[in-house]
Protein backbone atom coordinates (compact mmCIF):
# COMPACT_ATOMS: atom_id res chain seq x y z
CA UNK A 1 0.00 0.00 0.00
CA UNK A 2 1.21 3.51 -0.81
CA UNK A 3 0.26 7.02 0.27
CA UNK A 4 -1.01 8.80 -2.86
CA UNK A 5 -2.24 12.15 -1.54
CA UNK A 6 -2.49 14.18 1.66
CA UNK A 7 -5.20 16.83 1.80
CA UNK A 8 -5.80 19.30 4.55
CA UNK A 9 -9.28 20.73 5.19
CA UNK A 10 -9.69 23.86 7.28
CA UNK A 11 -13.34 24.28 8.27
CA UNK A 12 -14.72 27.45 9.79
CA UNK A 13 -17.94 29.23 10.76
CA UNK A 14 -18.96 32.27 12.80
CA UNK A 15 -19.99 31.59 16.39
CA UNK A 16 -23.25 33.12 17.62
CA UNK A 17 -21.40 34.42 20.67
CA UNK A 18 -17.76 35.28 21.30
CA UNK A 19 -15.88 32.79 23.50
CA UNK A 20 -12.56 33.13 25.24
CA UNK A 21 -9.86 31.97 27.59
CA UNK A 22 -7.15 33.82 29.48
CA UNK A 23 -5.16 34.68 26.34
CA UNK A 24 -7.81 35.85 23.85
CA UNK A 25 -11.44 35.99 22.74
CA UNK A 26 -12.58 34.61 19.39
CA UNK A 27 -15.66 34.62 17.16
CA UNK A 28 -14.86 31.86 14.65
CA UNK A 29 -14.95 28.11 15.22
CA UNK A 30 -12.21 26.29 13.29
CA UNK A 31 -11.38 22.65 12.68
CA UNK A 32 -8.33 21.42 10.78
CA UNK A 33 -8.82 17.91 9.37
CA UNK A 34 -6.22 15.87 7.52
CA UNK A 35 -7.15 13.29 4.90
CA UNK A 36 -4.54 10.72 3.80
CA UNK A 37 -5.42 8.76 0.66
CA UNK A 38 -3.87 5.46 -0.50
CA UNK A 39 -3.64 3.44 -3.71
CA UNK A 40 -5.79 0.70 -2.12
CA UNK A 41 -8.76 3.00 -1.67
CA UNK A 42 -8.40 3.27 2.10
CA UNK A 43 -8.59 6.84 3.40
CA UNK A 44 -7.53 7.91 6.89
CA UNK A 45 -8.62 10.98 8.86
CA UNK A 46 -6.76 12.97 11.48
CA UNK A 47 -6.91 16.40 13.11
CA UNK A 48 -4.34 19.10 13.85
CA UNK A 49 -4.62 21.31 16.94
CA UNK A 50 -4.73 25.06 16.23
CA UNK A 51 -7.48 27.41 15.06
CA UNK A 52 -7.77 30.54 12.89
CA UNK A 53 -4.63 31.60 11.05
CA UNK A 54 -2.64 28.83 12.78
CA UNK A 55 -4.80 26.22 11.01
CA UNK A 56 -4.24 27.87 7.62
CA UNK A 57 -0.48 27.97 8.17
CA UNK A 58 -0.50 24.35 9.36
CA UNK A 59 -2.40 23.39 6.20
CA UNK A 60 0.55 24.66 4.19
CA UNK A 61 2.95 22.61 6.34
CA UNK A 62 0.82 19.47 5.89
CA UNK A 63 0.43 19.84 2.12
CA UNK A 64 3.64 21.60 1.08
CA UNK A 65 6.18 20.34 3.62
CA UNK A 66 5.11 16.92 4.98
CA UNK A 67 3.28 15.54 1.93
CA UNK A 68 6.33 15.58 -0.41
CA UNK A 69 8.46 13.91 2.30
CA UNK A 70 6.22 10.85 2.67
CA UNK A 71 4.24 10.46 -0.54
CA UNK A 72 4.66 6.94 -1.97
CA UNK A 73 5.57 5.45 1.45
CA UNK A 74 3.64 2.56 2.98
CA UNK A 75 1.09 4.15 5.39
CA UNK A 76 1.48 1.15 7.74
CA UNK A 77 5.10 2.24 8.39
CA UNK A 78 3.87 4.80 10.92
CA UNK A 79 6.99 5.03 13.07
CA UNK A 80 9.28 5.18 10.02
CA UNK A 81 7.16 7.94 8.50
CA UNK A 82 7.09 9.88 11.79
CA UNK A 83 10.86 9.79 12.15
CA UNK A 84 11.48 10.74 8.53
CA UNK A 85 9.17 13.77 8.72
CA UNK A 86 10.44 14.82 12.16
CA UNK A 87 14.10 14.49 11.22
CA UNK A 88 13.59 16.56 8.07
CA UNK A 89 11.69 19.29 9.98
CA UNK A 90 13.86 19.22 13.12
CA UNK A 91 16.07 22.15 12.11
CA UNK A 92 12.95 24.23 11.48
CA UNK A 93 10.81 23.51 14.50
CA UNK A 94 10.96 20.88 17.27
CA UNK A 95 7.76 22.22 18.86
CA UNK A 96 4.64 24.04 17.77
CA UNK A 97 3.19 24.19 14.29
CA UNK A 98 5.33 21.62 12.44
CA UNK A 99 4.53 19.08 15.17
CA UNK A 100 0.83 19.99 15.22
CA UNK A 101 0.83 19.40 11.45
CA UNK A 102 2.61 16.06 11.79
CA UNK A 103 0.06 15.04 14.45
CA UNK A 104 -2.89 15.18 12.04
CA UNK A 105 -1.01 13.13 9.45
CA UNK A 106 0.05 10.51 12.00
CA UNK A 107 -3.49 10.14 13.40
CA UNK A 108 -4.77 9.56 9.85
CA UNK A 109 -2.16 6.80 9.38
CA UNK A 110 -3.52 5.01 12.48
CA UNK A 111 -7.03 5.31 11.04
CA UNK A 112 -5.74 3.69 7.82
CA UNK A 113 -4.05 0.90 9.80
CA UNK A 114 -7.24 0.15 11.73
CA UNK A 115 -9.26 0.02 8.51
CA UNK A 116 -6.60 -2.13 6.80
CA UNK A 117 -6.48 -4.69 9.64
CA UNK A 118 -10.25 -4.34 10.20
CA UNK A 119 -9.71 -3.54 13.89
CA UNK A 120 -10.52 -0.57 16.12
CA UNK A 121 -7.41 1.50 16.78
CA UNK A 122 -7.43 0.71 20.52
CA UNK A 123 -6.92 -2.94 19.53
CA UNK A 124 -3.76 -2.02 17.62
CA UNK A 125 -2.60 -0.07 20.68
CA UNK A 126 -2.75 -3.17 22.86
CA UNK A 127 -6.41 -3.60 23.69
CA UNK A 128 -9.05 -2.02 25.89
CA UNK A 129 -8.48 -1.70 29.64
CA UNK A 130 -12.10 -0.62 30.15
CA UNK A 131 -15.48 -0.93 28.47
CA UNK A 132 -16.76 2.46 29.62
CA UNK A 133 -14.99 5.83 29.77
CA UNK A 134 -16.10 8.44 32.31
CA UNK A 135 -16.63 11.89 30.80
CA UNK A 136 -16.16 15.34 32.27
CA UNK A 137 -18.05 18.30 30.89
CA UNK A 138 -15.88 21.26 30.12
CA UNK A 139 -17.64 24.60 29.74
CA UNK A 140 -17.67 28.05 31.34
CA UNK A 141 -15.42 29.79 28.84
CA UNK A 142 -14.64 33.45 29.42
CA UNK A 143 -16.94 36.00 27.80
CA UNK A 144 -16.98 39.80 27.81
CA UNK A 145 -20.43 40.06 29.34
CA UNK A 146 -21.57 41.87 32.51
CA UNK A 147 -23.30 38.78 33.90
CA UNK A 148 -20.40 36.32 33.57
CA UNK A 149 -20.89 34.96 37.08
CA UNK A 150 -24.57 34.29 36.39
CA UNK A 151 -23.66 32.50 33.17
CA UNK A 152 -21.05 30.33 34.93
CA UNK A 153 -23.65 29.50 37.56
CA UNK A 154 -26.21 28.43 34.94
CA UNK A 155 -23.70 26.59 32.74
CA UNK A 156 -22.17 24.59 35.59
CA UNK A 157 -25.59 23.59 36.93
CA UNK A 158 -26.49 22.42 33.40
CA UNK A 159 -23.34 20.29 33.20
CA UNK A 160 -24.27 18.57 36.47
CA UNK A 161 -27.82 18.10 35.19
CA UNK A 162 -26.50 16.64 31.89
CA UNK A 163 -24.95 13.75 33.81
CA UNK A 164 -21.23 14.48 33.49
CA UNK A 165 -18.89 13.08 36.14
CA UNK A 166 -17.03 16.37 36.69
CA UNK A 167 -16.63 19.83 35.21
CA UNK A 168 -13.92 22.29 34.22
CA UNK A 169 -14.06 26.07 33.98
CA UNK A 170 -11.83 28.79 32.58
CA UNK A 171 -10.18 31.36 34.81
CA UNK A 172 -7.65 34.10 34.12
CA UNK A 173 -9.38 37.39 34.89
CA UNK A 174 -7.16 38.25 37.86
CA UNK A 175 -6.68 36.73 41.30
CA UNK A 176 -9.64 38.38 43.05
CA UNK A 177 -12.02 37.91 40.10
CA UNK A 178 -11.02 34.27 39.65
CA UNK A 179 -11.65 33.43 43.29
CA UNK A 180 -15.15 34.87 43.01
CA UNK A 181 -15.82 32.97 39.77
CA UNK A 182 -14.70 29.65 41.21
CA UNK A 183 -16.74 30.26 44.38
CA UNK A 184 -19.79 30.88 42.18
CA UNK A 185 -19.33 27.57 40.37
CA UNK A 186 -18.59 25.66 43.59
CA UNK A 187 -21.83 26.99 45.10
CA UNK A 188 -23.79 26.13 41.95
CA UNK A 189 -22.62 22.50 41.68
CA UNK A 190 -22.53 21.71 45.40
CA UNK A 191 -19.66 20.65 47.67
CA UNK A 192 -19.15 17.11 46.31
CA UNK A 193 -19.04 17.59 42.53
CA UNK A 194 -15.56 17.45 41.04
CA UNK A 195 -14.45 20.86 39.67
CA UNK A 196 -11.27 21.68 37.76
CA UNK A 197 -9.98 25.14 36.82
CA UNK A 198 -7.89 26.11 33.78
CA UNK A 199 -5.77 29.30 33.70
CA UNK A 200 -4.14 28.74 30.28
CA UNK A 201 -0.82 29.94 31.75
CA UNK A 202 -2.06 33.41 32.72
CA UNK A 203 -0.17 33.68 36.01
CA UNK A 204 3.20 34.04 37.69
CA UNK A 205 4.14 31.38 40.21
CA UNK A 206 3.39 33.72 43.11
CA UNK A 207 -0.08 34.58 41.81
CA UNK A 208 -0.77 30.91 41.10
CA UNK A 209 0.34 30.05 44.64
CA UNK A 210 -2.20 32.49 46.10
CA UNK A 211 -4.94 31.12 43.86
CA UNK A 212 -3.96 27.53 44.56
CA UNK A 213 -4.32 27.97 48.33
CA UNK A 214 -7.82 29.39 47.81
CA UNK A 215 -8.77 26.58 45.41
CA UNK A 216 -7.64 24.02 47.96
CA UNK A 217 -10.13 25.45 50.46
CA UNK A 218 -12.84 25.07 47.81
CA UNK A 219 -11.92 21.45 47.11
CA UNK A 220 -10.83 22.00 43.49
CA UNK A 221 -9.54 18.79 41.93
CA UNK A 222 -6.90 20.23 39.61
CA UNK A 223 -5.38 23.59 38.64
CA UNK A 224 -4.54 23.44 34.94
CA UNK A 225 -1.72 25.41 33.27
CA UNK A 226 -1.23 27.84 36.16
CA UNK A 227 2.04 29.21 34.71
CA UNK A 228 3.79 29.38 31.34
CA UNK A 229 4.61 25.97 29.83
CA UNK A 230 8.30 26.91 29.64
CA UNK A 231 8.40 27.67 33.38
CA UNK A 232 9.31 24.22 34.69
CA UNK A 233 10.66 25.63 37.95
CA UNK A 234 7.36 27.42 38.53
CA UNK A 235 5.46 24.17 37.96
CA UNK A 236 7.73 22.32 40.40
CA UNK A 237 7.41 25.00 43.07
CA UNK A 238 3.62 24.83 42.80
CA UNK A 239 3.59 21.02 43.02
CA UNK A 240 5.72 21.16 46.16
CA UNK A 241 3.80 23.99 47.85
CA UNK A 242 0.22 22.95 47.10
CA UNK A 243 -1.87 19.93 48.00
CA UNK A 244 -4.25 20.22 45.02
CA UNK A 245 -3.22 18.64 41.73
CA UNK A 246 -1.26 20.71 39.25
CA UNK A 247 -2.13 19.70 35.66
CA UNK A 248 -0.48 20.61 32.37
CA UNK A 249 1.00 19.41 29.11
CA UNK A 250 -1.32 20.63 26.35
CA UNK A 251 1.33 23.11 25.18
CA UNK A 252 4.18 20.56 25.18
CA UNK A 253 5.38 18.62 22.15
CA UNK A 254 7.02 15.26 21.38
CA UNK A 255 8.62 12.82 23.80
CA UNK A 256 11.66 15.12 23.91
CA UNK A 257 9.55 17.94 25.30
CA UNK A 258 7.56 15.75 27.69
CA UNK A 259 10.71 14.02 28.99
CA UNK A 260 11.73 16.89 31.26
CA UNK A 261 8.18 17.73 32.33
CA UNK A 262 7.71 14.14 33.52
CA UNK A 263 11.20 13.50 34.88
CA UNK A 264 11.23 16.73 36.90
CA UNK A 265 7.79 16.07 38.39
CA UNK A 266 6.40 19.34 37.06
CA UNK A 267 2.81 18.09 37.05
CA UNK A 268 0.63 15.84 39.20
CA UNK A 269 -1.61 15.09 36.20
CA UNK A 270 -0.25 15.00 32.66
CA UNK A 271 -2.47 16.26 29.83
CA UNK A 272 -1.01 15.20 26.47
CA UNK A 273 -2.84 16.66 23.44
CA UNK A 274 -2.58 14.04 20.70
CA UNK A 275 -3.51 16.49 17.91
CA UNK A 276 -0.56 18.72 18.89
CA UNK A 277 2.23 16.65 20.43
CA UNK A 278 3.01 14.56 17.35
CA UNK A 279 0.07 12.16 16.95
CA UNK A 280 -0.66 8.68 18.32
CA UNK A 281 2.81 7.31 17.49
CA UNK A 282 4.48 9.89 19.73
CA UNK A 283 1.68 9.78 22.33
CA UNK A 284 2.53 6.12 22.99
CA UNK A 285 6.13 7.05 23.82
CA UNK A 286 4.96 9.80 26.18
CA UNK A 287 2.54 7.43 27.93
CA UNK A 288 5.37 4.95 28.44
CA UNK A 289 7.44 7.66 30.17
CA UNK A 290 4.50 8.80 32.30
CA UNK A 291 3.86 5.20 33.31
CA UNK A 292 7.50 4.64 34.26
CA UNK A 293 7.34 7.74 36.50
CA UNK A 294 3.85 6.99 37.88
CA UNK A 295 2.40 10.26 36.63
CA UNK A 296 -1.37 9.93 36.05
CA UNK A 297 -2.60 10.90 32.58
CA UNK A 298 -5.86 12.63 31.64
CA UNK A 299 -5.70 13.50 27.94
CA UNK A 300 -6.29 17.04 26.82
CA UNK A 301 -9.09 17.04 24.22
CA UNK A 302 -10.05 19.96 22.03
CA UNK A 303 -11.49 20.21 18.55
CA UNK A 304 -13.88 18.38 16.26
CA UNK A 305 -15.43 14.93 16.53
CA UNK A 306 -12.24 13.56 14.92
CA UNK A 307 -10.22 14.62 17.98
CA UNK A 308 -12.90 13.35 20.39
CA UNK A 309 -13.18 10.00 18.59
CA UNK A 310 -9.40 9.59 18.51
CA UNK A 311 -9.18 10.17 22.25
CA UNK A 312 -11.87 7.54 22.91
CA UNK A 313 -9.45 4.95 21.50
CA UNK A 314 -6.49 6.33 23.45
CA UNK A 315 -8.43 6.31 26.73
CA UNK A 316 -9.71 2.77 26.08
CA UNK A 317 -6.08 1.64 25.70
CA UNK A 318 -4.59 3.64 28.60
CA UNK A 319 -3.41 1.32 31.40
CA UNK A 320 -4.16 2.03 35.04
CA UNK A 321 -1.01 3.02 36.79
CA UNK A 322 -0.06 1.84 39.31
CA UNK A 323 -3.04 -0.54 38.92
CA UNK A 324 -5.63 -1.67 41.46
CA UNK A 325 -8.97 -3.42 41.74
CA UNK A 326 -10.70 -0.04 41.95
CA UNK A 327 -8.48 2.37 40.02
CA UNK A 328 -9.35 5.99 39.29
CA UNK A 329 -10.35 5.87 35.62
CA UNK A 330 -8.98 8.46 33.18
CA UNK A 331 -11.75 10.80 32.05
CA UNK A 332 -12.60 11.99 28.54
CA UNK A 333 -12.57 15.78 28.32
CA UNK A 334 -15.72 16.90 26.50
CA UNK A 335 -16.29 20.53 25.58
CA UNK A 336 -19.96 21.50 26.00
CA UNK A 337 -19.80 24.92 24.30
CA UNK A 338 -21.56 25.13 20.88
CA UNK A 339 -19.55 23.40 18.14
CA UNK A 340 -21.08 22.15 14.87
CA UNK A 341 -17.76 20.42 14.03
CA UNK A 342 -18.26 18.19 17.04
CA UNK A 343 -21.99 17.53 16.63
CA UNK A 344 -22.59 17.44 12.86
CA UNK A 345 -19.30 16.50 11.18
CA UNK A 346 -19.33 12.71 11.19
CA UNK A 347 -21.25 10.26 9.03
CA UNK A 348 -21.84 8.31 12.25
CA UNK A 349 -22.12 10.86 15.09
CA UNK A 350 -20.54 10.01 18.47
CA UNK A 351 -23.64 11.14 20.43
CA UNK A 352 -21.56 11.71 23.56
CA UNK A 353 -24.05 13.95 25.36
CA UNK A 354 -26.95 11.49 24.88
CA UNK A 355 -24.84 8.57 26.05
CA UNK A 356 -23.58 10.49 29.08
CA UNK A 357 -27.14 11.37 30.01
CA UNK A 358 -28.34 7.78 29.64
CA UNK A 359 -25.47 6.14 31.52
CA UNK A 360 -24.93 8.70 34.25
CA UNK A 361 -21.57 9.99 33.06
CA UNK A 362 -19.83 7.38 30.90
CA UNK A 363 -19.63 6.40 27.23
CA UNK A 364 -18.92 2.96 25.76
CA UNK A 365 -15.63 2.47 23.92
CA UNK A 366 -15.89 2.63 20.10
CA UNK A 367 -16.53 -0.37 17.87
CA UNK A 368 -15.70 -0.87 14.22
CA UNK A 369 -12.45 -0.56 12.27
CA UNK A 370 -10.09 2.41 12.41
CA UNK A 371 -10.96 5.48 14.45
CA UNK A 372 -14.59 5.60 13.34
CA UNK A 373 -14.41 9.31 12.55
CA UNK A 374 -15.18 9.56 8.83
CA UNK A 375 -16.56 13.03 8.07
CA UNK A 376 -19.59 13.69 5.91
CA UNK A 377 -18.03 14.94 2.63
CA UNK A 378 -20.86 17.41 1.92
CA UNK A 379 -20.47 18.93 5.38
CA UNK A 380 -16.71 19.29 4.86
CA UNK A 381 -17.22 20.99 1.48
CA UNK A 382 -19.77 23.38 2.94
CA UNK A 383 -17.51 24.67 5.73
CA UNK A 384 -14.12 24.46 4.02
CA UNK A 385 -12.39 27.85 3.77
CA UNK A 386 -9.18 27.00 1.95
MG1 LIG B 1 -6.36 23.74 29.11
Amino acid sequence: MKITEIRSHVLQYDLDEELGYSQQYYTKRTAHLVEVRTDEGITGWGECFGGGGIALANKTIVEQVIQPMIIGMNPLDRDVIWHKAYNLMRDHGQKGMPIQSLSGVDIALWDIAGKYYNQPVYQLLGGAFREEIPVYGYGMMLQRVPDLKERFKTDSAQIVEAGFKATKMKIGLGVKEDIELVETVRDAVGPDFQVMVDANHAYTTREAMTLGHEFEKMGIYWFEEPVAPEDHQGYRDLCEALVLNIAGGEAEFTSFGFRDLIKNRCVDILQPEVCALGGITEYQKIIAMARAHFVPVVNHVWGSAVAVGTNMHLLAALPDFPGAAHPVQPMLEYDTTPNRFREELLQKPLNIQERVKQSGGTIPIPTGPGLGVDPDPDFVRHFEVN
Side-chain angles (χ1 to χ4, degrees), residues 74-372:
N74 182 346
L76 302 178
D77 290 341
R78 298 178 295 278
D79 213 17
V80 178
I81 288 171
W82 195 95
H83 279 83
K84 180 172 186 187
Y86 182 79
N87 290 344
L88 289 171
M89 291 195 291
R90 174 181 265 142
D91 293 8
H92 313 282
Q94 298 141 19
K95 292 177 190 273
M97 290 158 68
I99 309 303
Q100 291 171 346
S101 303
L102 182 54
S103 303
V105 175
D106 179 80
I107 292 167
L109 297 181
W110 280 88
D111 189 29
I112 290 171
K115 287 167 176 168
Y116 179 79
Y117 295 116
N118 199 29
Q119 293 291 331
V121 165
Y122 68 75
Q123 202 72 59
L124 304 186
L125 293 168
F129 285 87
R130 50 194 62 80
E131 295 298 318
E132 296 277 328
I133 302 166
V135 185
Y136 80 84
Y138 155 64
M140 288 85 74
M141 296 200 65
L142 301 183
Q143 292 184 287
R144 287 182 280 200
V145 292
D147 61 339
L148 188 65
K149 271 199 249 175
E150 275 308 306
R151 289 191 183 213
F152 272 40
K153 195 171 158 183
T154 313
D155 290 353
S156 55
Q158 277 172 357
I159 286 169
V160 177
E161 186 61 27
F164 289 101
K165 291 280 191 198
T167 191
K168 187 169 83 182
M169 60 183 286
K170 290 295 190 199
I171 56 168
L173 298 175
V175 171
K176 181 173 170 290
E177 293 82 356
D178 281 356
I179 291 169
E180 287 175 10
L181 263 188
V182 180
E183 275 171 348
T184 302
V185 169
R186 173 48 85 205
D187 287 347
V189 302
D192 299 325
F193 198 73
Q194 209 169 52
V195 177
M196 293 82 85
V197 302
D198 184 0
N200 292 96
H201 48 80
Y203 289 113
T204 64
T205 305
R206 187 56 61 195
E207 289 164 336
M209 206 81 84
T210 304
L211 279 166
H213 284 301
E214 293 301 320
F215 297 157
E216 279 175 358
K217 291 180 209 159
M218 293 184 241
I220 298 304
Y221 181 53
W222 81 53
F223 187 0
E224 179 171 326
E225 288 205 297
V227 295
E230 304 93 326
D231 185 7
H232 284 193
Q233 187 63 51
Y235 265 106
R236 280 197 69 166
D237 291 347
L238 288 165
C239 283
E240 280 173 19
L242 296 169
V243 174
L244 95 166
N245 292 302
I246 298 298
E250 70 181 87
E252 193 50 86
F253 300 88
T254 79
S255 52
F256 307 116
F258 275 88
R259 177 187 57 205
D260 297 335
L261 203 63
I262 294 169
K263 191 178 67 185
N264 295 329
R265 296 261 166 196
C266 292
V267 294
D268 300 302
I269 293 170
L270 192 70
Q271 299 176 295
E273 167 52 70
V274 72
C275 299
L277 62 81
I280 297 174
T281 299
E282 197 64 1
Y283 171 89
Q284 282 187 294
K285 297 175 171 73
I286 291 161
I287 294 305
M289 281 195 292
R291 178 174 159 277
H293 289 81
F294 296 94
V295 178
V297 172
V298 181
N299 293 350
H300 179 265
V301 185
W302 177 257
S304 82
V306 174
V308 176
T310 301
N311 275 282
M312 287 165 69
H313 288 269
L314 300 182
L315 290 168
L318 187 67
D320 304 314
F321 23 100
H326 308 286
V328 176
Q329 299 288 326
M331 293 183 283
L332 174 72
E333 173 170 13
Y334 191 76
D335 173 25
T336 61
T337 61
N339 187 345
R340 298 186 67 180
F341 300 146
R342 199 184 52 230
E343 308 300 335
E344 301 169 45
L345 173 70
L346 300 189
Q347 294 176 29
K348 285 186 203 159
L350 301 172
N351 295 328
I352 303 274
Q353 304 237 37
E354 287 163 36
R355 288 171 167 184
V356 162
K357 184 78 186 169
Q358 284 162 7
S359 66
T362 64
I363 48 161
I365 61 172
T367 54
L371 291 168

